[in-house]
Amino acid sequence: MATRFTFAGGNLSKLARLPLYVLARPVQWLTPRSRREWVFGSGAGLSQGAWELWQEVAAREPDARLTWLVANEAQAEQAVDAGVEFVAKDSWAGFWRTLRAGTVVVTHGLGDVNRYGSGGAFLVQLWHGIPLKRIHLDSPATFALGGRLPAAAGRILRGMYRLSTRAISLFPVPSQLVGSRIASAFGLDPARIAVTGDPRDEALVAGTPASRRAASLRVLLGAGVLSGEERERRLVLFAPTWRDGEEDPTVPTEAERDALEALAQRLDALILFRPHPLGLGAYRRAIAGAPRLRMVSSEAVPDVNAVLSAVDALVTDYSSVALDYSLAGGHIVWFAPDRASYEKSRGLYEDYEATTGGHEETWAGVIAQLEARLSGGPEAAASLAATEALRDRFFEVRTPGAPGRVYEQVLARRDGGAAAASAGLPSVSLAEVPADPATGTGPTVFFESFYGRRANDNPAGIDAALAALRPDVRRVWSVANDTVTVPEGAVAVLEGSPAWARERAAASTLVVNDWLRTPVADRRRQKVLQTWHGTPLKRLALGRPKVGLRTRLAILRQTRRWDALLSQSPFCSAALAGDYAYRGPVWETGYPRNDAMVLGTRADARAALGLPGSGRVVLYAPTWRDDGRVVLDGAGLAALAASLGEGTTLLVRAHSRVTEGFEGAPGVLEVSDHEDLGELLRAADALVTDYSSMMFDAAAISLPLAFFVPDLELYRDEQRGFSFDFEAEAPGPVVREASALPAAIAGLWERPGAFAGAYAAWRERYTPWDDGGAGARVVERLEAEGFLPPAT
């Protein structure tokens, strides 16, 4: 029966154990630890890199006392089979061994060993996969309490998490990219992270491809998954991740099971199902009666990496097993029917498409992909190249010997001495990674746009003005992942990495367009320019209905960090300052993000987007709703595109906070990932929006406007509220029904003077400064107000 673990249940258990932590603390202070004693534990048993490190320590220190702490009978049986000394982790012996150990090795957390005896030990925190989904401090799911306890319990829980992460002495990773995610997720000093390679991946890099495949087949044969005559069959592995206590949506129906069985017969393959150990879903019952569909449970094969080298194709969703499998080099098919809801509840470290390049939402799609790739069609080479690219992104170190490199890091850090170098690449602390060079040699300006997910908007407009007017300035961008492209001549630093921390601390000015999530390093020396990302129609921050006390305090703390606020117009100045209770300087310069749009040409914009020079272009750009609703879905967009007539292109730009895309709708070109908002507006003949601030930017180039607002009363009166009488001032048709939208759009060209007076007033009020020189005015203010030292 599946384990029904949830974050809420686990967190309640943590809070209940708080008195025991307090009682154990004096005992930890008074008990001496021995460097020759090591304890190991893993939530997955003798696996996940802890076992590989055990073997390394046993070979290097034959006189050391090594103890494995087990959580159940299955793990005890593994320890007996391996011939290692073990005790129950929650026993008095487990407490004493942990209390005496100089070094403690875990793969999931302190719960792998005796949590009450671990304080003061040198803690090696291995991990059980490269995180695609957000974990620990980065995910709200981590602190779920099921609504059963007051807010104070949540604060205590966060404090407990932070105390446990501060105990980590060494965290090995395979690359700086992974290290930046770990530093963020654990709130960890980058100096405690070492790029050594991951011991858990040793089975995927040691030896030759043939020897690795043979070893994996032996594991599958020993677990009874394969018979001897099936050794040469192709193997497909399906390995979904855990969904935080929710049912897996990928359990096949009877028809889907039969289709999978038929595929396996056509390919002479076996399809292996390996649900997550904590996952919920009746896979065993679902595949019963299909002889080529087999279960590979975590009980039968504790370490999935031990079998990956025999797998020809992997099907997964958000599981880190995909990244481990990239070392094996086979085909990966991404299967995520619940992508939108999963991203909303759990969150991912980067856009899903940036990782996957595309995914399937049905078993039928998965079957088609597997057949195409495993039959050697033209898709096969592209598929393998994508896997190789994934490997290269996440694994800087992929040579054998990671357990030895981790062991040497332990000796060097724990004992303060230098360890002998091992074969392969040297281990490197993230703190030792040099900063990237920059074109400028003068003061540093540090940019962040939309929490590092993009390098655009007002910060990009200021970057462009600095590049032209102050080439001596070092322009550094914070990026959430390595797929974000920064402006030419600028430097990208991964959020949370040592280079990020150094560059941010060295900057004279921080330029951000959303909330500043990390406090400023030195308020006396550094300045923060908050550019925001649009003139608001909807009420923000304190202006929203029903804002609670905690949110109010957070907003006030946020605005106290701003040294200046950028504004597009007098109206914008009053609206932003009012909603954020901001009392500091407001720079009313216009928006630098619109400079290139105002000065550019439609022909250039269309050429950059690959659009034809002739024909009309309509841009649909809705804002996001707090409840996640999408008012015009893919089918609605396809109908709209068809109604616009031949020769008209419908561009669709989803808001950056909307996870659902609209790709695949006939006649629709999705441009949600296009960085340059101004380029989209410049290319268009009309903008259709609802409550988005793009309605103001469009006025800078007199772009005709139509407003599709089927939920006007709900959005205005209950969810957000408006800063002015929108219906009275709107400089274009306000449409309530999708069926009326095509006629409203056509009327923009058929009756161009219908809203001429309203449009002229709109432009005068909301974009008086958007003349192409806003960026230059901002640079002038940066120098005049002491944000930027003068050029030498």
Side-chain angles (χ1 to χ4, degrees):
M1 183 175 178
T3 305
R4 290 185 174 269
F5 175 85
T6 64
F7 274 120
N11 287 335
L12 290 171
S13 177
K14 285 184 176 70
L15 290 172
R17 291 194 295 264
L18 183 57
L20 295 176
Y21 284 105
V22 175
L23 291 172
R25 185 66 66 180
V27 181
Q28 296 170 1
W29 292 336
L30 296 172
T31 305
R33 294 187 177 274
S34 170
R35 289 181 179 176
R36 65 176 297 273
E37 292 198 32
W38 297 61
V39 295
F40 294 76
S42 172
L46 273 68
S47 62
Q48 300 293 354
W51 175 236
E52 286 77 6
L53 185 56
W54 167 294
Q55 295 175 83
E56 186 73 26
V57 177
R60 300 269 197 122
E61 296 185 24
D63 296 332
R65 185 177 191 182
L66 279 57
T67 306
W68 197 279
L69 300 190
V70 300
N72 49 48
E73 290 185 7
Q75 292 185 10
E77 290 176 5
Q78 293 174 20
V80 170
D81 292 342
V84 302
E85 183 178 358
F86 68 94
V87 298
K89 69 171 186 174
D90 292 328
S91 66
W92 280 108
F95 173 64
W96 179 248
R97 292 290 179 88
T98 307
L99 195 63
R100 287 283 295 136
T103 307
V104 172
V105 180
V106 297
T107 65
H108 290 66
L110 292 176
D112 291 344
V113 292
N114 190 287
R115 63 181 78 242
Y116 310 114
S118 59
F122 186 93
L123 178 62
V124 181
Q125 175 68 74
L126 305 175
W127 199 240
H128 45 281
I130 295 172
L132 294 179
K133 55 182 176 285
R134 291 186 175 274
I135 59 173
H136 274 266
L137 302 177
D138 289 338
S139 175
T142 303
F143 305 102
L145 287 169
R148 306 179 216 180
L149 291 177
R155 291 193 291 271
I156 294 172
L157 181 64
R158 284 180 177 271
M160 293 174 69
Y161 269 93
R162 290 188 180 278
L163 283 174
S164 67
T165 59
R166 286 175 193 161
I168 296 171
S169 307
L170 172 64
F171 206 127
V173 295
S175 66
Q176 294 182 60
L177 174 58
V178 178
S180 69
R181 295 184 183 182
I182 292 300
S184 175
F186 286 83
L188 197 60
D189 182 350
R192 300 190 181 192
I193 300 173
V195 181
T196 60
D198 199 327
R200 71 192 298 271
D201 292 324
E202 197 69 4
L204 293 165
V205 295
T208 65
S211 68
R212 293 194 291 268
R213 177 175 175 82
S216 292
L217 288 172
R218 285 195 297 272
V219 173
L220 291 169
L221 288 165
V225 177
L226 307 181
S227 62
E229 59 270 19
E230 294 174 326
R231 295 171 62 96
E232 300 304 318
R233 283 184 175 164
R234 289 175 169 153
L235 298 180
V236 175
L237 176 66
F238 172 54
T241 193
W242 175 50
R243 283 169 167 77
D244 304 339
E246 299 296 326
E247 293 283 345
D248 290 358
T250 52
V251 177
T253 64
E254 184 175 344
E256 289 167 339
R257 176 204 63 189
D258 293 343
L260 286 165
E261 174 70 13
L263 172 71
Q265 291 178 1
R266 290 196 300 274
L267 296 176
D268 191 23
L270 300 176
I271 302 178
L272 313 180
F273 282 70
R274 182 187 173 84
H276 190 280
L278 298 178
L280 298 176
Y283 288 102
R284 191 179 298 276
R285 184 169 63 251
I287 65 175
R292 288 178 179 262
L293 309 187
R294 310 279 175 86
M295 287 295 296
V296 185
S297 68
S298 56
E299 291 81 9
V301 180
D303 189 353
V304 67
N305 282 13
V307 302
L308 292 182
S309 293
V311 171
D312 298 283
L314 172 74
V315 180
T316 189
D317 41 24
Y318 324 101
S319 173
S320 62
V321 71
L323 301 181
D324 293 317
Y325 181 68
S326 71
L327 292 168
H331 302 280
I332 302 175
V333 177
W334 299 89
F335 180 28
D338 59 343
R339 173 190 170 186
S341 61
Y342 192 85
E343 286 188 340
K344 183 179 295 184
S345 64
R346 187 60 186 265
L348 303 176
Y349 278 104
E350 63 185 28
D351 181 78
Y352 192 57
E353 300 301 312
T355 304
T356 66
H359 69 283
E360 298 298 327
E361 296 186 350
T362 65
W363 273 113
V366 170
I367 289 169
Q369 289 287 350
L370 288 172
E371 186 144 38
R373 300 181 191 194
L374 292 176
S375 297
E379 295 91 345
S383 171
L384 295 177
T387 300
E388 184 177 346
L390 197 68
R391 178 203 68 191
D392 292 345
R393 281 190 65 208
F394 286 93
F395 294 91
E396 289 176 27
V397 180
R398 49 181 182 266
T399 54
R405 292 189 289 270
V406 172
Y407 173 75
E408 290 163 5
Q409 285 285 311
V410 171
L411 294 190
R413 294 161 182 260
R414 185 195 66 187
D415 303 339
S422 64
L425 295 178
S427 56
V428 179
S429 166
L430 282 185
E432 299 167 358
V433 177
D436 289 332
T439 53
T441 58
T444 296
V445 175
F446 190 92
F447 295 93
E448 181 181 282
S449 179
F450 298 114
Y451 303 144
R453 295 193 297 268
R454 298 179 184 271
N456 64 349
D457 203 68
N458 284 319
I462 298 172
D463 177 288
L466 283 171
L469 301 173
R470 286 291 301 271
D472 61 305
V473 170
R474 299 186 70 248
R475 296 173 286 115
V476 179
W477 282 80
S478 172
V479 297
N481 60 72
D482 60 351
T483 66
V484 178
T485 301
V486 302
E488 184 177 356
V491 170
V493 288
L494 280 170
E495 182 183 2
S497 70
W500 180 90
R502 281 194 302 271
E503 296 286 7
R504 195 174 188 273
S508 64
T509 303
L510 277 61
V511 177
V512 298
N513 74 341
D514 214 319
W515 277 47
L516 189 69
R517 295 166 295 162
T518 306
V520 178
D522 186 350
R523 286 303 306 272
R524 295 167 301 178
R525 180 181 56 81
Q526 292 180 300
K527 302 290 187 180
V528 174
L529 173 60
Q530 171 61 260
T531 74
W532 206 241
H533 46 272
T535 290
L537 162 65
K538 53 183 176 283
R539 301 302 300 268
L540 304 172
L542 298 173
R544 293 177 299 167
K546 302 176 182 178
V547 179
L549 178 60
R550 289 183 61 194
T551 301
R552 288 178 178 275
L553 292 174
I555 291 168
L556 294 174
R557 284 196 299 269
Q558 175 71 202
T559 57
R560 282 201 297 268
R561 296 173 178 172
W562 303 348
D563 294 291
L565 173 64
L566 205 64
S567 169
Q568 192 171 23
S569 65
F571 168 82
C572 181
S573 300
L576 289 178
D579 280 356
Y580 279 97
Y582 175 70
R583 301 294 179 261
V586 178
W587 296 358
E588 204 170 281
T589 61
Y591 271 167
R593 71 182 187 179
N594 292 333
D595 287 352
M597 175 185 71
V598 171
L599 299 175
T601 67
R602 177 166 298 172
D604 288 342
R606 290 193 175 186
L609 291 164
L611 297 172
S614 59
R616 285 182 172 143
V617 174
V618 175
L619 173 62
Y620 175 58
T623 193
W624 70 297
R625 271 76 173 164
D626 295 340
D627 56 8
R629 287 176 300 111
V630 175
V631 297
L632 202 57
D633 60 13
L637 290 169
L640 176 60
S643 71
L644 294 176
E646 188 175 351
T648 299
T649 302
L650 178 62
L651 306 181
V652 176
R653 184 183 190 273
H655 191 277
S656 62
R657 296 183 183 181
V658 176
T659 56
E660 180 180 348
F662 304 103
E663 65 275 6
V668 173
L669 176 61
E670 187 180 16
V671 290
S672 302
D673 291 331
H674 191 72
E675 292 287 336
D676 192 340
L677 173 66
E679 199 163 65
L680 298 177
L681 292 171
R682 179 84 271 178
D685 294 288
L687 169 67
V688 179
T689 186
D690 41 22
Y691 321 110
S692 170
S693 64
M694 289 177 71
M695 66 175 71
F696 305 107
D697 300 302
I701 55 171
S702 301
L703 184 67
L705 295 168
F707 302 92
F708 178 53
V709 289
D711 57 347
L712 177 62
E713 288 79 14
L714 173 65
Y715 195 86
R716 179 191 61 204
D717 301 335
E718 298 182 30
Q719 294 185 339
R720 276 305 186 107
F722 289 164
S723 302
F724 59 88
D725 190 341
F726 168 63
E727 289 182 275
E729 290 192 36
V734 177
V735 182
R736 309 298 296 276
E737 302 291 337
S739 58
L741 193 53
I745 295 172
L748 295 175
W749 302 304
E750 294 169 359
R751 297 178 297 279
F755 291 90
Y759 207 117
W762 182 273
R763 180 170 183 174
E764 182 178 355
R765 184 179 185 193
Y766 299 115
T767 58
W769 297 107
D770 285 23
D771 56 4
R777 287 190 288 273
V778 172
V779 172
E780 183 180 345
R781 292 294 294 268
L782 288 171
E783 294 174 332
E785 304 294 337
F787 282 58
L788 194 63
T792 56

